[in-house]
Amino acid sequence: MQAQSPLVRRRRDIHRSTHFSLVALVLNLSEILRSSLMTSKKHVHIAQFLIHGPTYHSHAMWRHPLTQWETDTWARPELYQQIAQTCERGLFDMVFFADLNYISDTYTGELDPALRYAVQAPEHDPIPLLSFMAAVTEKIGVAATFSTSHHHPFYVSRLWATIDHLTRGRAGWNVVTSLNHNQAANYGQEREPSERRYEKAHEFIEVCNQLWASWDKDAVVMDTEAPQFVDSTKVRRIDFEGEFYSSRGPLNVTRSPQTGPAILQAGTSPQGKDFAAKHADAIFAIQPRAVDAAELYDDIKSRTADAGRDPNHCAVLFGAQPVIGETDEHAQELLEEHNALVPLEAGLAILSAHLDFDLAKLDPNEPMADRTEPELQRMRTRYLNPDGSSMTVAEVAQKHGQSVGIPQFAGTTESVTDQMLDYVDEAGGDGFMLSPIHNPGSIEQFVDHIVPELQRRGRFRTEYTGTTVRDHIRQQS
């Protein structure tokens, strides 16, 4: 073979070097573009759903082989302290407790189904747990549900201002009105219509806001020489007289770090959405289909703007139930194992409780979405298959027992992350409220696997930039 001249070899080397440089440039530009596309989409927010009881949304959880509880593990503060520490390690906005003040007899008119299947019963008061959890954490928000239907605003404003102090500004109050006849009966009352309950709730929160602001931030001077502990010119009565409530004030609790807690809301009625738009820092919503989630998200943001608020100051967190496996097939097996642990009657009992309507009256094989009873309309989007067709009463109840209609995202770390981001990007949502299928284990899996993957994709914070739960909800990067 004829030897190449030095000039030919030089041209060949230049060509090869140029080729590799162009390949490297293309690869580098591709990586920059991919990174840009990732980071151009907003960060998601994550919160953890809890109940101070043996079941959360999953009515398989207390039976799940990985839960491994003693009889009273769910009632002990150490469990929730560990959860709070895990969620703070995962940089979650908050842990969030739902709460019901009753054991439901709505299904069949008997207590047995609710007690037999632990249908969100027993359920201990979550409020004392907030201080336990805050004591072992530094940043994460601690939130709980508290109804306006059975208390006076002065007591409630005092309670939440105190919790906001104890947590150094990390308290969140999920404001609800009680819609179940069992809860009303426990307080010796009749259940009120939705419109009436929310009329009272608007006035209730107005009284609370005035009481929380009845102390100036610098009212406490603590001058030992004068002596003067409080500058009385910076504390005032509110002299509130409304249609439903009256209060003289002032509050006997100093101005708390957030001037009362962050306000959360989970109502889906028009009245509930108006309340959220006017008052809430965040709402929790359950929508199995992203298309329905998008409609709700746009509705909430529009109502918030109409109320004269920045729509970004009312975050929308959608429920998600992740199931993480070593492979997609393994995750599907885990999901099927979990779902099979939920008896149909448990689903019928919890759905009846949430609707306050006895589903034993209906044919389990009829299409649920075809029913016209007013009580059944509030959750209508949970009755639909992905294609928009109606599930049967039994199918809806089964899913309600498994996740109360929250979408289940099963797969590998990468696949679950894909599914969650596809959902939130289609919905336009601000993030997720997570619901575990077993405890411990599910929450730790998410923190150890999904959180790093979200961070790798530029879709989740790498640190807290604020100190209060409201700061976390509004953090954009």
Side-chain angles (χ1 to χ4, degrees):
M1 181 181 296
Q2 185 176 358
Q4 293 180 333
S5 69
L7 180 59
V8 171
R9 288 198 302 272
R10 175 63 176 161
R11 286 174 176 170
R12 182 198 63 197
D13 291 342
I14 291 173
H15 175 76
R16 184 177 296 167
S17 175
T18 303
H19 171 75
F20 286 131
S21 296
L22 287 171
V23 169
L25 178 61
V26 169
L27 290 173
N28 189 43
L29 288 173
S30 176
E31 179 64 25
I32 291 172
L33 178 60
R34 186 176 68 84
S35 176
S36 175
L37 288 171
M38 285 181 179
T39 56
S40 65
K41 295 181 178 179
K42 64 184 180 182
H43 281 204
V44 296
H45 291 261
I46 302 292
Q48 182 61 54
F49 182 91
L50 300 169
I51 284 178
H52 193 183
T55 52
Y56 303 168
H57 289 133
S58 162
H59 285 73
M61 192 176 76
W62 68 276
R63 301 179 62 204
H64 198 285
L66 294 179
T67 295
Q68 297 181 342
W69 284 348
E70 301 295 334
T71 304
D72 66 346
T73 300
W74 59 270
R76 303 272 67 85
E78 293 82 5
L79 172 68
Y80 303 95
Q81 289 180 316
Q82 179 185 357
I83 290 171
Q85 290 173 324
T86 299
C87 293
E88 183 169 74
R89 179 165 61 84
L91 302 174
F92 289 16
D93 285 14
M94 71 184 102
V95 292
F96 169 102
F97 283 92
D99 189 37
L100 302 174
N101 283 208
Y102 62 89
I103 299 173
S104 177
D105 66 356
T106 305
Y107 181 65
T108 73
E110 302 291 337
L111 293 174
D112 179 72
L115 293 170
R116 179 183 298 274
Y117 302 115
V119 173
Q120 294 187 343
E123 193 164 320
H124 292 193
D125 192 330
I127 298 296
L129 285 177
L130 302 186
S131 294
F132 274 96
M133 299 166 87
V136 296
T137 55
E138 295 180 356
K139 296 283 190 178
I140 192 166
V142 289
T145 300
F146 197 96
S147 175
T148 62
S149 297
H150 313 297
H151 302 279
H152 189 277
F154 188 91
Y155 166 73
V156 177
S157 63
R158 184 172 186 252
L159 172 70
W160 281 107
T162 301
I163 295 173
D164 200 43
H165 275 296
L166 291 173
T167 62
R168 295 182 173 87
R170 294 186 281 145
W173 171 21
N174 179 37
V175 181
V176 299
T177 66
S178 300
L179 53 76
N180 188 284
H181 77 278
N182 289 286
Q183 182 154 326
N186 284 344
Y187 287 92
Q189 300 173 4
E190 294 290 330
R191 184 185 63 177
E192 294 182 312
S194 178
E195 294 82 359
R196 181 74 166 179
R197 295 197 315 271
Y198 275 104
E199 286 173 2
K200 294 173 74 172
H202 279 285
E203 188 171 297
F204 194 107
I205 202 74
E206 178 59 30
V207 179
C208 288
N209 283 331
Q210 290 191 28
L211 287 167
W212 290 326
S214 63
W215 287 65
D216 289 347
K217 291 181 180 180
D218 59 349
V220 177
V221 294
M222 201 172 174
D223 183 344
T224 59
E225 295 297 324
Q228 185 181 32
F229 193 83
V230 174
D231 182 347
S232 62
T233 65
K234 297 184 177 182
V235 182
R236 65 207 133 265
R237 301 194 189 281
I238 66 169
D239 293 318
F240 186 95
E241 293 288 342
E243 181 181 357
F244 308 108
Y245 303 104
S246 62
S247 181
R248 185 180 67 171
L251 197 63
N252 61 338
V253 179
T254 59
R255 178 78 71 105
S256 75
Q258 297 182 112
T259 310
I263 300 299
L264 312 173
Q265 220 273 333
T268 55
S269 67
Q271 296 84 5
K273 289 185 282 189
D274 281 340
F275 184 90
K278 185 174 181 180
H279 302 291
D281 294 288
I283 74 166
F284 166 43
I286 296 174
Q287 293 292 339
R289 304 192 311 158
V291 63
D292 296 318
E295 184 176 331
L296 175 65
Y297 180 84
D298 291 342
D299 189 16
I300 291 293
K301 296 297 183 176
S302 175
R303 290 172 189 257
T304 305
D306 291 344
R309 298 177 61 211
D310 182 345
N312 291 321
H313 290 174
C314 183
V316 181
L317 306 179
F318 292 108
Q321 193 176 70
V323 181
I324 306 164
E326 296 175 3
T327 64
D328 287 339
E329 293 75 16
H330 178 232
Q332 192 61 38
E333 291 173 3
L334 295 174
L335 178 62
E336 291 172 359
E337 174 192 38
H338 165 267
N339 289 348
L341 289 171
V342 180
L344 174 59
E345 191 174 41
L348 288 165
I350 187 59
L351 183 56
S352 294
H354 288 168
L355 294 169
D356 207 16
F357 180 91
D358 185 4
L359 294 174
K361 299 175 181 178
L362 305 184
D363 178 353
N365 297 313
E366 68 175 309
M368 185 80 167
D370 291 351
R371 302 300 306 186
T372 59
E373 291 86 352
E375 298 94 330
L376 306 186
Q377 304 313 305
R378 184 170 57 88
M379 296 185 184
R380 196 178 184 283
T381 57
R382 303 190 205 182
Y383 309 158
L384 305 178
N385 288 306
D387 64 1
S389 62
S390 177
M391 290 185 279
T392 66
V393 172
E395 288 170 336
V396 175
Q398 192 72 56
K399 286 187 175 292
H400 208 77
Q402 294 159 355
S403 69
V404 302
I406 287 175
Q408 297 176 313
F409 300 116
T412 62
T413 295
E414 294 77 11
S415 176
V416 169
T417 305
D418 287 341
Q419 293 173 63
M420 292 181 68
L421 291 179
D422 287 346
Y423 179 101
V424 79
D425 289 342
E426 180 179 346
D430 299 301
F432 292 100
M433 183 80 72
L434 302 181
S435 184
I437 64 169
H438 54 81
N439 183 17
S442 287
I443 302 169
E444 289 83 354
Q445 273 189 314
F446 191 93
V447 168
D448 292 337
H449 298 282
I450 304 297
V451 166
E453 181 64 14
L454 287 169
Q455 291 170 331
R456 187 187 71 80
R457 301 187 191 195
R459 299 298 300 273
F460 191 65
R461 64 166 66 102
T462 56
E463 63 178 350
Y464 292 113
T465 58
T467 59
T468 70
V469 65
R470 188 175 287 119
D471 290 338
H472 304 338
I473 293 168
R474 294 182 182 179
Q475 184 177 336
Q476 297 297 312
S477 60

